[in-house]
Amino acid sequence: MPKITDEELDRLLVEAAPARTPIDAKPDAEALAMLERIMATDPHPHRKRNRVIGVLAGLAAAVTATVIGVNVLVPTSAAVAGSPQPLDFSGASTVAETIEDAQAALARGPGPVEPVRFVRSATWSFNIDADYGTSVVVPQLVTLQWDADQSGRVTVIDGAPYDPSDASANVSAEVTSSGRVSMDLKMAPGEFASPVAAPPGAAREDIAAALVAFGMPADPTSYDVLMAASALLEQWTLTNEQESQILAILDDTEGATSLGTTVDRLGRDVAGLRVTSADGAASDVVLLSADSGRIVGFERTNILEDDVLPAGAVIAYRLFDVPEEVAK
C-alpha cells in the first residue's frame, strides 16, 4: 500500500506544532542530547511510525515533538475524514469587544500572584490507521515544572482515546485521563534551555520582549502574536496582568476575527478569536475563559484539503489551566 511521503508527513507535523525558528536552524548540543534521551524512552511503542519535527531549536521543541505525535499510514491519494468535531461558536461580537471583556475579567479575578515555571496542559495525538480505515484521537495530559537553573520534569498521562466520529465523545469534556503515565522525564540543570529563563515583568514592554524571544517579529500580525503567546504559555503560567498585556498587544494587530462563545473540550465557557496562518493552509483559534479572561486554549484547523486531511479538519489543540484533578 502506498504511504504518505516524508515531505507530506513533515508538513503535517509542522502544521500540528509549527516551528517558530527558521527552517534551516540547527539544534544545539544540549537539545540533541536531550532529544536522544527522550526518544530512547519510546513513550508510544504502539505507533507504526513516529517522526519528530525536523527543526528543533531547544529542549522545549524536542519535548513537544515527542509528546505531540502524529501517526499516519494512509494512501497518498485518499483524504482521511475523521477528526475531532470543530467547536460550535455562537453570538456576535467584535475582536475589540472580546478582548475588552477578557481584560475586564482578568482585572477583577485573583489569578496567579506571580509568573511560575509550571504548566499543566491537555493536548492530543492523532492516529490514523489506513489498514482499517480508522482514526483515533488520543488526548494527553502534560505537566511541566522547571526551575531557575533550567532543570525540571515533564510528566505525560495518556487520556482515554476516542473515535472522532463518535458524537457523544465530542460533547463537552473530551479530555479524560486513563491514569497511564507514558512519559516521566527528568531534566538536569541547563537542559531545559528556555529563551525566557527569568520571570518576565508585568509591563507591556516586558511581555513584548518575552513574545519576541519566542519568535514574534517587530511588526507582528495577530497570527504572529498568538503563535508566540502559545509558545510562552507552554513554559510559563503568567499572572492576569501579564495575560492582559498579551491581549493588549493582540488588540493592536490586524488579522483576527471574533467567533463568539462556546464550550471548550474541558467543558469550560470560552470566547474565541480566529487567525489564519501566513501560508493560508490552516487557521488557529485562541480560547479565552468567559469566567477568568485567561488564555485557556489554542486549536488548529486545516483550511485546504490535501492527501491527508479534508478542509475543516481539526488537527491539533492545546488547553491550558487544566485542573489538577483532570490530570491524574
Side-chain angles (χ1 to χ4, degrees):
M1 176 181 294
K3 297 178 175 62
I4 185 171
T5 66
D6 287 349
E7 291 76 14
E8 289 169 331
L9 181 55
D10 285 341
R11 181 195 57 74
L12 181 63
L13 286 167
V14 169
E15 288 179 356
R20 301 173 179 91
T21 54
I23 192 64
D24 58 352
K26 304 296 183 184
D28 58 26
E30 291 178 350
L32 287 171
M34 181 52 58
L35 178 58
E36 290 179 3
R37 285 180 53 196
I38 294 171
M39 296 306 294
T41 64
D42 192 16
H44 297 286
H46 61 282
R47 288 180 179 164
K48 297 180 179 178
R49 185 181 186 190
N50 189 15
R51 285 281 310 280
V52 176
I53 297 172
V55 179
L56 295 176
L59 177 59
V63 171
T64 300
T66 306
V67 172
I68 306 175
V70 180
N71 175 41
V72 182
L73 282 172
V74 298
T76 56
S77 60
V80 176
S83 71
Q85 293 294 314
L87 297 176
D88 185 15
F89 289 90
S90 63
S93 185
T94 66
V95 172
E97 289 170 342
T98 301
I99 291 176
E100 182 179 354
D101 289 345
Q103 288 179 318
L106 286 165
R108 64 175 177 263
V113 176
E114 58 185 15
V116 293
R117 298 179 181 89
F118 177 89
V119 178
R120 185 183 295 112
S121 61
T123 184
W124 62 285
S125 61
F126 192 29
N127 293 349
I128 303 171
D129 189 336
D131 293 337
Y132 298 97
T134 60
S135 57
V136 179
V137 173
V138 184
Q140 292 177 314
L141 297 150
V142 183
T143 300
L144 166 67
Q145 185 164 11
W146 57 290
D147 298 310
D149 64 358
Q150 302 213 47
S151 63
R153 185 174 187 175
V154 178
T155 304
V156 180
I157 298 175
D158 285 347
Y162 64 89
D163 182 346
S165 65
D166 182 355
S168 64
N170 284 279
V171 177
S172 187
E174 294 184 2
V175 184
T176 56
S177 173
S178 71
R180 176 181 177 271
V181 177
S182 58
M183 176 187 287
D184 190 358
L185 173 68
K186 295 181 180 179
M187 296 168 283
E191 288 185 335
F192 190 65
S194 172
V196 178
R204 176 164 175 159
E205 56 268 26
D206 297 324
I207 297 301
L211 294 177
V212 168
F214 279 101
M216 186 181 77
D219 186 20
T221 63
S222 297
Y223 176 82
D224 295 327
V225 173
L226 289 183
M227 289 303 95
S230 174
L232 175 62
L233 294 174
E234 287 170 8
Q235 297 187 7
W236 286 93
T237 294
L238 300 178
T239 68
N240 283 9
E241 184 177 1
Q242 290 172 319
E243 294 218 357
S244 185
Q245 294 292 0
I246 292 176
L247 296 179
I249 294 170
L250 177 65
D251 197 26
D252 286 342
T253 62
E254 299 292 334
T257 57
S258 178
L259 299 175
T261 59
T262 189
V263 175
D264 76 359
R265 301 180 194 277
L266 285 174
R268 304 175 296 189
D269 292 329
V270 294
L273 298 173
R274 186 189 301 277
V275 297
T276 301
S277 62
D279 61 4
S283 68
D284 290 275
V285 174
V286 59
L287 302 174
L288 308 176
S289 169
D291 296 324
S292 67
R294 293 178 61 81
I295 299 170
V296 294
F298 292 86
E299 292 215 357
R300 170 156 286 215
T301 300
N302 202 39
I303 292 178
L304 304 177
E305 181 174 354
D306 53 35
D307 290 336
V308 179
L309 293 169
V314 176
I315 59 177
Y317 62 73
R318 181 180 289 275
L319 304 176
F320 298 105
D321 291 357
V322 174
E324 181 179 4
E325 58 269 19
V326 175
K328 289 184 176 180

